[in-house]
Every structure is written in C-alpha cells, then in structure tokens.
Coordinates of all heavy atoms in Angstrom, one line a residue:
M1 N 12.6 17.8 -25.5 CA 12.6 16.9 -26.7 C 13.9 17.1 -27.4 O 14.4 18.3 -27.6 CB 11.4 17.0 -27.5 CG 11.3 16.0 -28.6 SD 10.0 16.4 -29.8 CE 8.5 16.6 -28.8
H2 N 14.5 16.0 -27.7 CA 15.7 16.1 -28.5 C 15.4 16.7 -30.0 O 14.4 16.4 -30.5 CB 16.4 14.8 -28.7 CG 17.7 14.8 -29.3 ND1 17.9 14.8 -30.6 CD2 18.9 14.8 -28.8 CE1 19.2 14.9 -31.0 NE2 19.8 14.9 -29.8
P3 N 16.2 17.6 -30.5 CA 15.9 18.3 -31.7 C 15.7 17.3 -32.8 O 14.8 17.4 -33.7 CB 17.2 19.0 -32.0 CG 17.8 19.3 -30.7 CD 17.5 18.1 -29.8
S4 N 16.4 16.1 -32.8 CA 16.2 15.2 -34.0 C 14.8 14.5 -33.9 O 14.3 14.0 -34.9 CB 17.2 14.1 -34.0 OG 17.2 13.3 -32.8
N5 N 14.1 14.6 -32.7 CA 12.8 14.1 -32.6 C 11.7 15.1 -33.0 O 10.5 14.7 -32.9 CB 12.6 13.5 -31.2 CG 13.6 12.2 -31.0 OD1 13.9 11.5 -31.9 ND2 13.9 12.0 -29.7
S6 N 12.1 16.2 -33.2 CA 11.1 17.3 -33.3 C 10.6 17.3 -34.9 O 11.4 17.0 -35.7 CB 11.7 18.8 -33.1 OG 12.2 18.8 -32.0
P7 N 9.2 17.3 -35.0 CA 8.7 17.4 -36.2 C 9.2 18.5 -37.0 O 9.4 19.6 -36.4 CB 7.3 17.3 -36.1 CG 7.0 17.9 -34.8 CD 8.2 17.5 -33.9
T8 N 9.4 18.4 -38.4 CA 9.9 19.5 -39.2 C 8.7 20.6 -39.4 O 7.6 20.1 -39.6 CB 10.3 18.9 -40.5 OG1 11.4 18.1 -40.2 CG2 11.0 20.1 -41.3
L9 N 9.0 21.8 -39.3 CA 8.0 22.8 -39.6 C 8.4 23.7 -40.8 O 9.5 24.1 -40.9 CB 8.0 23.7 -38.3 CG 7.1 25.0 -38.4 CD1 5.5 24.6 -38.6 CD2 7.3 25.9 -37.2
F10 N 7.4 23.8 -41.7 CA 7.6 24.6 -42.8 C 6.6 25.7 -42.8 O 5.7 25.8 -41.9 CB 7.4 23.9 -44.1 CG 8.3 22.8 -44.4 CD1 7.9 21.4 -44.3 CD2 9.6 22.9 -44.6 CE1 8.6 20.4 -44.6 CE2 10.5 21.9 -44.9 CZ 9.9 20.6 -44.8
I11 N 6.8 26.7 -43.5 CA 5.9 28.1 -43.6 C 5.0 27.8 -44.8 O 5.5 27.7 -46.0 CB 6.8 29.2 -43.7 CG1 7.8 29.4 -42.6 CG2 5.7 30.5 -43.8 CD1 7.1 29.4 -41.2
G12 N 3.8 27.8 -44.6 CA 2.7 27.8 -45.6 C 2.0 29.1 -45.9 O 2.0 29.9 -44.8
R13 N 1.5 29.4 -46.9 CA 0.6 30.6 -47.2 C -0.5 30.3 -48.1 O -0.3 29.5 -49.2 CB 1.6 31.7 -47.7 CG 0.8 33.1 -47.6 CD 1.8 34.2 -47.9 NE 1.9 34.4 -49.4 CZ 3.0 34.3 -50.1 NH1 4.1 34.1 -49.4 NH2 3.0 34.4 -51.3
T14 N -1.6 30.8 -47.9 CA -2.7 30.5 -48.8 C -3.0 31.9 -49.5 O -2.9 33.0 -49.0 CB -4.1 30.1 -48.1 OG1 -4.4 31.2 -47.1 CG2 -3.8 28.8 -47.4
E15 N -3.3 31.7 -50.9 CA -3.6 32.9 -51.6 C -5.0 32.7 -52.1 O -5.5 31.5 -52.3 CB -2.6 33.0 -52.9 CG -1.3 33.2 -52.5 CD -1.0 34.6 -52.0 OE1 -1.9 35.4 -52.0 OE2 0.0 35.0 -51.5
P16 N -5.9 33.8 -52.4 CA -5.4 35.1 -52.3 C -5.4 35.8 -50.9 O -5.1 37.0 -50.7 CB -6.4 35.8 -53.3 CG -7.7 35.0 -53.1 CD -7.2 33.6 -52.8
E17 N -5.9 35.0 -49.8 CA -6.1 35.6 -48.6 C -4.6 36.0 -47.9 O -4.8 36.9 -47.0 CB -6.9 34.7 -47.6 CG -6.4 33.4 -47.4 CD -7.3 32.4 -46.6 OE1 -8.2 32.9 -46.0 OE2 -7.2 31.2 -46.7
G18 N -3.7 35.3 -48.4 CA -2.4 35.8 -47.8 C -2.1 35.3 -46.3 O -1.4 35.9 -45.6
L19 N -2.9 34.3 -46.0 CA -2.9 33.7 -44.6 C -1.6 32.8 -44.4 O -1.5 31.9 -45.2 CB -4.1 33.0 -44.2 CG -4.1 32.4 -42.8 CD1 -4.6 33.4 -41.9 CD2 -4.9 31.1 -42.7
Q20 N -0.8 33.1 -43.5 CA 0.5 32.3 -43.2 C 0.2 31.3 -42.2 O -0.6 31.6 -41.2 CB 1.6 33.2 -42.8 CG 2.9 32.5 -42.8 CD 4.2 33.4 -42.7 OE1 4.2 34.3 -43.6 NE2 4.9 33.3 -41.7
F21 N 0.5 30.0 -42.3 CA 0.3 29.1 -41.3 C 1.5 28.2 -41.0 O 2.4 28.0 -41.9 CB -1.0 28.2 -41.7 CG -0.8 27.4 -43.0 CD1 -0.3 26.1 -43.0 CD2 -1.1 28.0 -44.2 CE1 -0.2 25.4 -44.2 CE2 -0.9 27.5 -45.4 CZ -0.6 26.1 -45.4
D22 N 1.5 27.6 -39.9 CA 2.6 26.5 -39.6 C 2.2 25.2 -40.3 O 1.2 24.6 -40.0 CB 2.7 26.4 -38.2 CG 3.2 27.5 -37.3 OD1 3.7 28.4 -38.0 OD2 2.9 27.5 -36.2
A23 N 3.1 24.8 -41.3 CA 2.9 23.6 -42.1 C 3.8 22.5 -41.5 O 5.0 22.4 -41.9 CB 3.2 23.8 -43.5
W24 N 3.3 21.7 -40.6 CA 4.0 20.6 -40.0 C 4.2 19.5 -41.0 O 3.3 19.1 -41.6 CB 3.3 20.2 -38.7 CG 3.3 21.2 -37.6 CD1 2.3 22.0 -37.3 CD2 4.3 21.6 -36.8 NE1 2.7 22.9 -36.3 CE2 3.9 22.7 -36.0 CE3 5.7 21.1 -36.5 CZ2 4.7 23.2 -35.0 CZ3 6.5 21.7 -35.5 CH2 6.0 22.7 -34.7
A25 N 5.5 19.0 -41.1 CA 5.7 18.0 -42.0 C 5.0 16.6 -41.7 O 4.8 15.8 -42.5 CB 7.2 17.7 -42.1
N26 N 4.6 16.5 -40.4 CA 4.1 15.2 -40.0 C 2.5 15.2 -39.9 O 1.9 14.3 -39.3 CB 4.6 14.8 -38.7 CG 4.2 15.8 -37.6 OD1 3.7 16.9 -37.8 ND2 4.3 15.4 -36.3
Q27 N 1.9 16.2 -40.6 CA 0.4 16.2 -40.6 C -0.1 16.8 -41.9 O 0.6 17.6 -42.6 CB -0.2 17.0 -39.4 CG 0.0 18.4 -39.4 CD -0.9 19.1 -38.3 OE1 -1.2 18.5 -37.4 NE2 -1.0 20.4 -38.3
P28 N -1.3 16.4 -42.4 CA -1.8 16.9 -43.7 C -1.9 18.4 -43.6 O -2.2 19.0 -42.6 CB -3.1 16.2 -43.8 CG -3.1 15.0 -42.9 CD -2.1 15.3 -41.7
L29 N -1.7 19.0 -44.9 CA -1.8 20.4 -45.0 C -3.1 20.9 -44.5 O -3.2 22.1 -44.0 CB -1.6 20.8 -46.4 CG -0.2 21.0 -46.9 CD1 -0.3 21.2 -48.5 CD2 0.5 22.1 -46.2
L30 N -4.2 20.2 -44.8 CA -5.4 20.8 -44.4 C -5.6 21.0 -42.9 O -6.1 22.0 -42.3 CB -6.5 19.8 -44.8 CG -8.1 20.2 -44.5 CD1 -8.3 21.5 -45.3 CD2 -9.0 19.1 -44.9
A31 N -5.0 20.0 -42.1 CA -5.1 20.2 -40.6 C -4.2 21.5 -40.3 O -4.7 22.2 -39.4 CB -4.5 19.0 -40.0
S32 N -3.1 21.6 -40.8 CA -2.3 22.7 -40.5 C -3.0 24.1 -40.9 O -2.9 25.1 -40.2 CB -0.9 22.7 -41.3 OG -0.2 21.7 -40.8
M33 N -3.6 24.2 -42.1 CA -4.3 25.4 -42.4 C -5.5 25.6 -41.6 O -5.8 26.8 -41.3 CB -4.8 25.1 -43.9 CG -3.8 25.2 -45.0 SD -4.4 25.4 -46.6 CE -5.1 23.8 -46.9
E34 N -6.2 24.6 -41.1 CA -7.3 24.9 -40.2 C -6.8 25.3 -38.8 O -7.5 26.2 -38.3 CB -8.1 23.6 -40.0 CG -8.9 23.2 -41.2 CD -9.7 21.9 -41.2 OE1 -9.2 21.1 -40.4 OE2 -10.5 21.6 -42.1
Q35 N -5.6 24.8 -38.4 CA -5.0 25.4 -37.2 C -4.6 26.8 -37.4 O -4.6 27.6 -36.4 CB -3.9 24.5 -36.8 CG -4.3 23.2 -36.2 CD -3.3 22.1 -36.1 OE1 -2.1 22.5 -36.4 NE2 -3.5 21.0 -35.8
G36 N -4.3 27.2 -38.6 CA -4.0 28.6 -38.9 C -5.2 29.5 -39.2 O -5.1 30.6 -39.7
A37 N -6.4 28.9 -39.0 CA -7.7 29.7 -39.2 C -8.1 29.8 -40.6 O -8.9 30.8 -40.9 CB -7.7 30.9 -38.4
S38 N -7.5 29.1 -41.6 CA -8.0 29.2 -42.9 C -9.2 28.5 -43.1 O -9.6 27.5 -42.5 CB -6.9 28.5 -43.9 OG -7.3 28.6 -45.2
K39 N -10.1 29.1 -43.9 CA -11.5 28.6 -44.3 C -11.4 27.7 -45.6 O -12.0 28.0 -46.5 CB -12.4 29.7 -44.4 CG -12.6 30.7 -43.3 CD -13.7 30.2 -42.2 CE -13.8 31.1 -41.2 NZ -13.1 30.7 -39.9
W40 N -10.6 26.8 -45.5 CA -10.3 26.0 -46.8 C -11.4 24.9 -46.9 O -11.8 24.3 -45.9 CB -8.9 25.2 -46.7 CG -8.4 24.8 -47.9 CD1 -8.7 23.6 -48.5 CD2 -7.5 25.4 -48.8 NE1 -8.1 23.4 -49.7 CE2 -7.3 24.6 -49.9 CE3 -7.0 26.6 -48.8 CZ2 -6.6 25.0 -51.0 CZ3 -6.1 27.0 -50.0 CH2 -5.9 26.0 -51.0
P41 N -12.1 24.8 -48.1 CA -13.2 23.8 -48.2 C -12.6 22.4 -48.0 O -11.5 22.1 -48.4 CB -13.6 24.1 -49.6 CG -12.4 24.7 -50.3 CD -11.6 25.4 -49.4
S42 N -13.5 21.5 -47.4 CA -13.1 20.1 -47.3 C -14.4 19.3 -47.1 O -15.4 19.9 -46.8 CB -12.2 19.9 -46.1 OG -12.9 20.2 -44.9
S43 N -14.3 18.1 -47.3 CA -15.5 17.2 -47.1 C -14.9 15.7 -46.7 O -15.0 15.5 -45.5 CB -16.3 17.1 -48.3 OG -17.4 16.2 -48.2
C44 N -14.4 15.0 -47.5 CA -14.2 13.6 -47.2 C -12.9 13.5 -46.2 O -12.8 12.6 -45.4 CB -14.0 12.7 -48.4 SG -12.4 12.9 -49.2
R45 N -12.0 14.3 -46.5 CA -10.7 14.3 -45.7 C -10.0 13.0 -46.0 O -9.2 12.7 -45.0 CB -11.0 14.6 -44.1 CG -11.7 15.8 -43.9 CD -12.0 16.0 -42.6 NE -10.9 16.6 -41.9 CZ -10.6 17.9 -41.8 NH1 -11.5 18.8 -42.2 NH2 -9.6 18.3 -41.1
S46 N -10.2 12.4 -47.0 CA -9.4 11.1 -47.3 C -8.9 11.1 -48.7 O -8.5 10.0 -49.1 CB -10.3 9.9 -46.9 OG -11.5 10.0 -47.8
G47 N -8.9 12.1 -49.4 CA -8.3 12.1 -50.7 C -9.2 11.6 -51.9 O -8.5 11.3 -52.9
T48 N -10.4 11.6 -51.7 CA -11.2 11.1 -52.8 C -12.3 12.1 -53.3 O -12.5 12.0 -54.5 CB -12.0 9.8 -52.3 OG1 -12.8 10.1 -51.1 CG2 -11.1 8.6 -52.0
C49 N -12.9 12.9 -52.5 CA -14.0 13.8 -53.1 C -13.4 15.0 -53.9 O -14.2 15.6 -54.7 CB -14.8 14.2 -51.9 SG -14.0 15.6 -51.0
R50 N -12.3 15.5 -53.7 CA -11.7 16.5 -54.3 C -12.2 17.9 -54.0 O -11.8 18.9 -54.7 CB -11.8 16.4 -55.9 CG -11.0 15.2 -56.4 CD -11.4 14.7 -57.8 NE -11.3 15.7 -58.8 CZ -10.3 15.8 -59.7 NH1 -9.3 14.8 -59.6 NH2 -10.2 16.6 -60.6
T51 N -13.0 17.9 -52.9 CA -13.5 19.2 -52.5 C -12.4 20.2 -52.1 O -12.6 21.5 -52.3 CB -14.4 19.0 -51.3 OG1 -15.6 18.2 -51.7 CG2 -15.0 20.3 -50.6
C52 N -11.3 19.6 -51.6 CA -10.3 20.4 -51.0 C -9.3 20.8 -52.0 O -8.2 21.4 -51.6 CB -9.6 19.7 -49.9 SG -8.6 18.3 -50.3
M53 N -9.5 20.4 -53.3 CA -8.4 20.6 -54.2 C -7.9 21.9 -54.3 O -8.7 22.9 -54.3 CB -8.8 20.1 -55.6 CG -7.8 20.3 -56.7 SD -7.7 19.2 -58.1 CE -9.3 19.0 -58.5
G54 N -6.6 22.2 -54.3 CA -5.9 23.4 -54.6 C -4.8 23.3 -55.5 O -4.6 22.3 -56.1
Q55 N -4.2 24.4 -55.8 CA -3.0 24.4 -56.7 C -1.9 24.9 -56.0 O -2.0 26.0 -55.3 CB -3.4 25.4 -58.0 CG -2.3 25.3 -59.0 CD -2.7 25.4 -60.4 OE1 -3.8 26.1 -60.5 NE2 -2.2 24.9 -61.4
L56 N -0.8 24.3 -56.2 CA 0.5 24.6 -55.5 C 1.2 25.7 -56.4 O 1.5 25.5 -57.5 CB 1.3 23.4 -55.4 CG 2.4 23.2 -54.3 CD1 1.7 23.5 -52.9 CD2 3.0 21.9 -54.4
L57 N 1.3 26.9 -55.8 CA 2.0 28.0 -56.5 C 3.5 27.9 -56.4 O 4.2 28.4 -57.1 CB 1.5 29.3 -56.0 CG 0.0 29.5 -56.1 CD1 -0.5 30.9 -55.7 CD2 -0.5 29.3 -57.6
S58 N 3.8 27.4 -55.2 CA 5.3 27.1 -55.0 C 5.4 26.0 -53.8 O 4.6 25.9 -53.0 CB 6.1 28.3 -54.5 OG 5.7 28.8 -53.3
G59 N 6.5 25.4 -53.9 CA 6.9 24.3 -52.8 C 6.5 22.9 -53.4 O 6.0 22.8 -54.5
T60 N 6.7 21.9 -52.5 CA 6.5 20.5 -52.9 C 5.7 19.8 -51.7 O 5.8 20.2 -50.5 CB 7.8 19.8 -53.1 OG1 8.6 19.9 -52.0 CG2 8.4 20.3 -54.4
V61 N 5.0 18.8 -52.1 CA 4.2 17.9 -51.1 C 4.5 16.5 -51.4 O 5.0 16.1 -52.4 CB 2.8 18.3 -51.2 CG1 2.4 19.7 -50.9 CG2 2.2 17.9 -52.6
R62 N 4.1 15.7 -50.5 CA 4.2 14.2 -50.7 C 2.8 13.6 -50.2 O 2.1 14.3 -49.4 CB 5.4 13.6 -49.9 CG 5.2 13.7 -48.4 CD 6.3 13.1 -47.5 NE 6.1 13.5 -46.1 CZ 5.4 12.7 -45.4 NH1 4.9 11.6 -45.7 NH2 5.2 13.1 -44.1
Y63 N 2.6 12.4 -50.6 CA 1.4 11.6 -50.2 C 1.7 10.4 -49.6 O 2.7 9.7 -49.9 CB 0.5 11.5 -51.4 CG -0.1 12.7 -52.1 CD1 0.6 13.3 -53.1 CD2 -1.3 13.3 -51.5 CE1 0.1 14.5 -53.7 CE2 -1.8 14.5 -52.1 CZ -1.0 15.0 -53.2 OH -1.5 16.2 -53.7
E64 N 0.9 10.0 -48.5 CA 1.2 8.7 -47.8 C 0.3 7.7 -48.4 O 0.5 6.5 -48.3 CB 1.0 8.9 -46.3 CG 2.1 9.7 -45.7 CD 2.2 9.5 -44.2 OE1 1.2 9.2 -43.6 OE2 3.2 9.9 -43.7
I65 N -0.8 8.0 -49.1 CA -1.6 7.1 -49.7 C -1.1 6.8 -51.1 O -0.4 7.8 -51.7 CB -3.1 7.6 -49.9 CG1 -3.3 8.9 -50.5 CG2 -3.7 7.6 -48.4 CD1 -4.8 9.3 -50.7
E66 N -1.3 5.7 -51.7 CA -0.7 5.2 -52.9 C -1.0 6.2 -54.1 O 0.0 6.6 -54.7 CB -1.3 3.8 -53.3 CG -0.5 3.2 -54.5 CD 0.9 2.7 -54.0 OE1 1.2 2.6 -52.9 OE2 1.7 2.7 -54.9
W67 N -2.2 6.6 -54.2 CA -2.6 7.4 -55.5 C -3.7 8.3 -55.1 O -4.8 7.8 -55.2 CB -2.8 6.6 -56.7 CG -2.7 7.3 -58.0 CD1 -3.7 7.6 -58.8 CD2 -1.5 8.1 -58.5 NE1 -3.3 8.3 -59.8 CE2 -1.9 8.6 -59.7 CE3 -0.2 8.1 -58.0 CZ2 -1.1 9.4 -60.5 CZ3 0.6 8.8 -58.8 CH2 0.2 9.5 -60.0
P68 N -3.5 9.5 -54.6 CA -4.7 10.4 -54.2 C -5.6 10.7 -55.5 O -5.2 10.3 -56.6 CB -4.0 11.7 -53.7 CG -2.6 11.6 -54.4 CD -2.2 10.2 -54.5
G69 N -6.7 11.2 -55.3 CA -7.6 11.3 -56.4 C -7.4 12.4 -57.3 O -8.2 13.4 -57.5
L70 N -6.2 12.2 -57.9 CA -5.7 13.3 -58.8 C -5.1 12.5 -60.1 O -4.5 11.5 -59.8 CB -4.6 14.1 -58.2 CG -4.9 15.1 -57.1 CD1 -3.6 15.6 -56.6 CD2 -5.8 16.2 -57.7
S71 N -5.3 13.0 -61.2 CA -4.8 12.4 -62.4 C -3.3 12.8 -62.4 O -2.8 13.7 -61.8 CB -5.4 12.7 -63.7 OG -5.2 14.2 -64.0
S72 N -2.4 12.1 -63.2 CA -1.0 12.5 -63.3 C -0.8 13.8 -64.0 O 0.0 14.5 -63.5 CB -0.3 11.3 -64.1 OG -0.8 11.0 -65.3
E73 N -1.8 14.1 -64.9 CA -1.7 15.4 -65.4 C -1.9 16.5 -64.5 O -1.3 17.5 -64.4 CB -2.8 15.5 -66.6 CG -2.5 14.7 -67.9 CD -2.9 13.3 -67.7 OE1 -3.6 12.9 -66.7 OE2 -2.4 12.5 -68.6
E74 N -2.9 16.3 -63.6 CA -3.3 17.3 -62.5 C -2.1 17.5 -61.5 O -1.7 18.6 -61.2 CB -4.6 16.9 -61.8 CG -5.8 17.0 -62.6 CD -7.0 16.4 -62.0 OE1 -7.0 15.4 -61.3 OE2 -8.2 16.8 -62.3
M75 N -1.5 16.3 -61.1 CA -0.4 16.5 -60.3 C 0.7 17.2 -61.0 O 1.5 18.1 -60.4 CB 0.2 15.0 -59.9 CG -0.8 14.3 -59.0 SD -0.2 12.7 -58.7 CE 0.0 12.8 -56.9
A76 N 1.0 16.9 -62.3 CA 2.0 17.7 -63.0 C 1.8 19.2 -63.1 O 2.7 19.9 -63.2 CB 2.2 17.0 -64.4
E77 N 0.4 19.5 -63.1 CA 0.1 20.9 -63.2 C 0.1 21.5 -61.8 O -0.2 22.7 -61.6 CB -1.2 21.0 -63.8 CG -1.2 20.7 -65.2 CD -2.7 20.5 -65.8 OE1 -3.6 20.8 -65.1 OE2 -2.7 20.2 -67.1
G78 N 0.5 20.8 -60.7 CA 0.6 21.5 -59.4 C -0.7 21.4 -58.5 O -0.8 21.9 -57.5
C79 N -1.6 20.5 -59.0 CA -2.8 20.3 -58.1 C -2.5 19.5 -56.9 O -1.7 18.6 -57.1 CB -4.0 19.6 -59.0 SG -4.6 20.5 -60.3
V80 N -3.1 19.8 -55.8 CA -2.9 19.1 -54.6 C -4.2 18.8 -53.9 O -5.2 19.6 -54.1 CB -2.0 19.9 -53.6 CG1 -0.5 20.0 -54.1 CG2 -2.5 21.3 -53.4
L81 N -4.2 17.8 -53.1 CA -5.3 17.5 -52.2 C -4.8 17.7 -50.8 O -4.2 16.8 -50.2 CB -5.9 16.1 -52.4 CG -6.5 15.8 -53.8 CD1 -6.9 14.4 -54.0 CD2 -7.7 16.8 -54.0
P82 N -5.0 18.9 -50.2 CA -4.5 19.2 -48.8 C -4.9 18.2 -47.8 O -4.2 18.1 -46.9 CB -4.9 20.7 -48.6 CG -5.2 21.2 -49.9 CD -5.8 20.2 -50.8
C83 N -6.0 17.6 -47.9 CA -6.4 16.7 -46.8 C -5.5 15.5 -46.6 O -5.5 14.9 -45.6 CB -7.8 16.2 -46.9 SG -8.2 15.2 -48.4
V84 N -4.8 15.2 -47.7 CA -3.9 14.1 -47.7 C -2.4 14.3 -48.1 O -1.6 13.5 -48.2 CB -4.4 12.8 -48.5 CG1 -5.6 12.2 -47.8 CG2 -4.8 13.3 -50.0
A85 N -2.2 15.6 -48.4 CA -0.8 16.1 -48.8 C 0.0 16.5 -47.6 O -0.5 17.4 -46.8 CB -1.0 17.1 -49.8
Y86 N 1.2 16.1 -47.5 CA 2.2 16.6 -46.5 C 3.2 17.4 -47.0 O 3.7 17.1 -48.1 CB 2.9 15.3 -45.8 CG 1.8 14.4 -45.0 CD1 0.9 13.6 -45.7 CD2 1.8 14.4 -43.7 CE1 0.1 12.7 -45.0 CE2 1.0 13.5 -43.0 CZ 0.1 12.8 -43.7 OH -0.8 12.0 -43.0
P87 N 3.5 18.7 -46.4 CA 4.5 19.5 -47.0 C 5.9 18.9 -46.9 O 6.3 18.2 -45.9 CB 4.4 20.7 -46.1 CG 3.8 20.2 -44.8 CD 2.9 19.1 -45.1
C88 N 6.7 19.2 -47.9 CA 8.1 18.9 -48.1 C 9.0 20.2 -48.0 O 10.2 20.0 -48.1 CB 8.4 18.0 -49.2 SG 7.5 16.5 -49.2
S89 N 8.4 21.3 -48.0 CA 9.1 22.6 -48.1 C 8.2 23.7 -47.8 O 6.8 23.4 -47.5 CB 9.6 22.7 -49.5 OG 8.4 23.0 -50.4
D90 N 8.6 24.8 -47.7 CA 7.8 26.1 -47.6 C 6.9 25.9 -48.8 O 7.4 25.6 -49.9 CB 8.6 27.3 -47.5 CG 9.3 27.5 -46.2 OD1 9.2 26.7 -45.3 OD2 10.2 28.3 -46.2
L91 N 5.6 26.5 -48.7 CA 4.8 26.4 -49.8 C 3.7 27.4 -49.8 O 3.4 28.1 -48.8 CB 4.1 25.0 -50.0 CG 3.5 24.3 -48.8 CD1 2.2 24.9 -48.4 CD2 3.6 22.8 -49.0
V92 N 3.2 27.7 -51.1 CA 2.1 28.6 -51.3 C 1.0 28.0 -52.1 O 1.3 27.3 -53.1 CB 2.5 29.9 -52.1 CG1 1.4 30.9 -52.3 CG2 3.7 30.7 -51.3
L93 N -0.3 28.0 -51.6 CA -1.3 27.3 -52.5 C -2.5 28.2 -52.5 O -2.7 28.9 -51.6 CB -1.5 25.9 -52.0 CG -2.1 25.6 -50.8 CD1 -2.6 24.0 -50.7 CD2 -1.3 25.9 -49.6
R94 N -3.3 27.9 -53.4 CA -4.6 28.6 -53.6 C -5.6 27.5 -53.8 O -5.5 26.5 -54.4 CB -4.6 29.6 -54.6 CG -4.5 29.0 -56.1 CD -4.8 30.1 -57.2 NE -4.7 29.4 -58.5 CZ -4.0 30.0 -59.4 NH1 -3.4 31.0 -59.3 NH2 -4.0 29.3 -60.6
P95 N -6.9 27.9 -53.3 CA -8.0 26.9 -53.5 C -8.4 26.8 -55.0 O -8.3 27.7 -55.7 CB -9.2 27.4 -52.6 CG -8.8 28.9 -52.4 CD -7.4 29.0 -52.6
G96 N -9.0 25.7 -55.3 CA -9.6 25.5 -56.6 C -8.6 25.0 -57.6 O -7.5 24.7 -57.2
Y97 N -9.1 25.0 -58.8 CA -8.1 24.5 -59.8 C -8.1 25.4 -61.1 O -9.1 25.8 -61.6 CB -8.5 23.0 -60.3 CG -7.8 22.5 -61.5 CD1 -6.5 22.5 -61.6 CD2 -8.5 22.1 -62.6 CE1 -5.8 22.0 -62.6 CE2 -7.9 21.6 -63.6 CZ -6.5 21.6 -63.8 OH -5.9 21.2 -64.9
Ligands
FES101 S1 -11.5 16.7 -48.6 FE1 -12.1 15.2 -50.0 S2 -10.3 15.1 -51.3 FE2 -9.7 16.4 -49.7

C-alpha cells in the first residue's frame, strides 16, 4: 500500500489502568480500545446513551456526527464519547466524568 493511503495511527492510553492501544484515525476510539483489550463500558455505540463517556486528559478528537450527546460545556471540559470520537492526536483518557 502506498504510504499516503495508509490510515494514520496515533498512540492512545487509558487511565488508571495504563493500557496503551493503537488509536487509528479512521475508526472510533471505542473500537481501537476494544482491540487493545480495554474493558471500556459501552452500550448504544452511536453517541446517544453516554455509557461510554470518558474524559480526555490529553490529546484531541473529532466527531463525524453533527452533535454527539454532549453539552458544549462538557465538550469544553474534555468529555468525550469514544464510541463516536475519532482521534486527531496521541491521547490519554479515563472512563467516567
Ligand atoms: S456507547 Fe452510547 S454514547 Fe457511547
């Protein structure tokens, strides 16, 4: 595969377990964490139930859905919904809020 066609890979880590996982830019964080054997909570997997909510300790994410189930205040505080959040950088996150 030509390098420009390769999906971008970032390094993710979950706290407090300290599990490092491959955070592919082209798939939701939840899927990457599960591939990395993280026991991250989830339910709807579509950005509405908030079961998977976590807090971003470092790094940035983007969303492909118009407005995930987070208030603007929660987003400003670093809350993320990993089932619909795509990584834009290396990142660290912890479950809950
Ligand atoms: S699993 Fe429901 S919002 Fe992420």
Side-chain angles (χ1 to χ4, degrees):
M1 190 188 303
H2 189 275
S4 65
N5 293 332
S6 303
T8 304
L9 174 64
F10 299 111
I11 304 297
R13 196 174 79 239
T14 60
E15 295 292 352
E17 58 186 341
L19 181 84
Q20 189 167 307
F21 61 94
D22 293 342
W24 294 96
N26 64 344
Q27 72 177 12
L29 274 175
L30 180 64
S32 293
M33 290 193 290
E34 289 174 342
Q35 287 165 4
S38 175
K39 304 273 185 256
W40 198 272
S42 67
S43 182
C44 75
R45 308 177 78 90
S46 61
T48 55
C49 76
R50 297 161 60 100
T51 301
C52 68
M53 182 151 39
Q55 186 146 31
L56 208 52
L57 302 180
S58 70
T60 55
V61 298
R62 67 182 172 85
Y63 294 95
E64 292 195 339
I65 58 175
E66 189 68 26
W67 197 245
L70 293 170
S71 69
S72 52
E73 290 81 11
E74 288 169 333
M75 288 178 119
E77 290 167 4
C79 292
V80 291
L81 295 176
C83 67
V84 288
Y86 294 73
C88 298
S89 68
D90 292 347
L91 44 79
V92 179
L93 71 168
R94 68 169 180 228
Y97 169 54

